[in-house]
């Protein structure tokens, strides 16, 4: 099976995983306690969505290596932050351990891809 060319940030495997996982987090977080609405719920939703948003921004900044890497670094940081919130949700018993492991693992996959691109950005950059 042939790989399809990447035409937009939405074609990136990291983006697809991050988007799907952010949507799972959104659905699961609807069941978090009301007292968490302005803390953990908002934080985990914000950071999980930010992984995708920063990837989209990075994609559009491929003309400039430093800007591209900076946005990928932001995405990486947001993915790691989301992993921390996942740990809190499991420890607070708002999410079962197996679901937490699955979501955490998804972000490990995203982080692996991001680090690979950050360490070798040249194939991704737009040639002038």
């Amino acid at each position: 099976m042939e790989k399809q060319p990447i035409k937009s940030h939405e074609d990136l495997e990291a983006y697809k995983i991050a988007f799907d996982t952010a949507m799972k987090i959104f659905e699961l977080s609807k069941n978090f306690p009301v007292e968490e609405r302005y803390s953990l719920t908002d934080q985990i939703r914000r950071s999980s969505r930010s992984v995708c948003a920063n990837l989209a921004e990075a994609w559009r900044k491929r003309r400039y290596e430093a800007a591209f890497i900076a946005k990928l670094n932001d995405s990486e940081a947001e993915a790691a932050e989301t992993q921390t919130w996942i740990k809190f949700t499991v420890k607070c018993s708002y999410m079962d351990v197996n679901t937490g492991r699955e979501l955490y693992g998804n972000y490990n996959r995203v982080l692996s891809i991001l680090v690979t691109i950050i360490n070798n950005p040249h194939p991704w950059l737009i040639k002038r």
Side-chain angles (χ1 to χ4, degrees):
M1 196 152 119
E2 240 180 272
K3 275 190 161 183
Q4 295 297 318
I6 297 172
K7 295 178 182 173
S8 84
H9 63 277
E10 292 181 357
D11 296 330
L12 296 167
E13 182 183 0
Y15 180 89
K16 291 176 185 177
I17 295 167
F19 188 89
D20 290 344
T21 306
M23 291 308 300
K24 285 179 188 169
I25 286 170
F26 174 73
E27 289 302 321
L28 289 166
S29 69
K30 288 179 180 179
N31 298 316
F32 291 178
V34 158
E35 64 266 18
E36 292 288 7
R37 179 178 297 138
Y38 300 110
S39 53
L40 193 144
T41 303
D42 283 346
Q43 289 293 99
I44 196 168
R45 286 177 178 178
R46 183 202 54 76
S47 65
S48 66
R49 290 171 177 170
S50 191
V51 175
C52 302
N54 281 298
L55 268 169
E57 287 186 61
W59 183 258
R60 288 298 179 181
K61 293 188 175 196
R62 290 173 299 131
R63 285 179 186 82
Y64 311 100
E65 182 176 350
F68 176 60
I69 290 171
K71 292 314 289 183
L72 291 174
N73 282 327
D74 291 345
S75 187
E76 179 185 3
E78 295 293 342
E81 179 183 339
T82 303
Q83 286 183 315
T84 300
W85 294 123
I86 290 167
K87 282 184 153 188
F88 275 109
T89 62
V90 170
K91 274 292 196 193
C92 293
S93 300
Y94 304 152
M95 182 186 295
D96 69 75
V97 173
N98 289 331
T99 302
R101 282 188 184 133
E102 176 192 339
L103 300 177
Y104 197 95
N106 289 351
Y107 283 106
N108 275 340
R109 290 173 50 209
V110 170
L111 286 164
S112 175
I113 294 166
L114 291 174
V115 169
T116 299
I117 297 171
I118 290 166
N119 288 338
N120 186 23
H122 298 285
W124 299 93
L125 298 174
I126 295 173
K127 316 299 188 257
R128 294 191 226 181

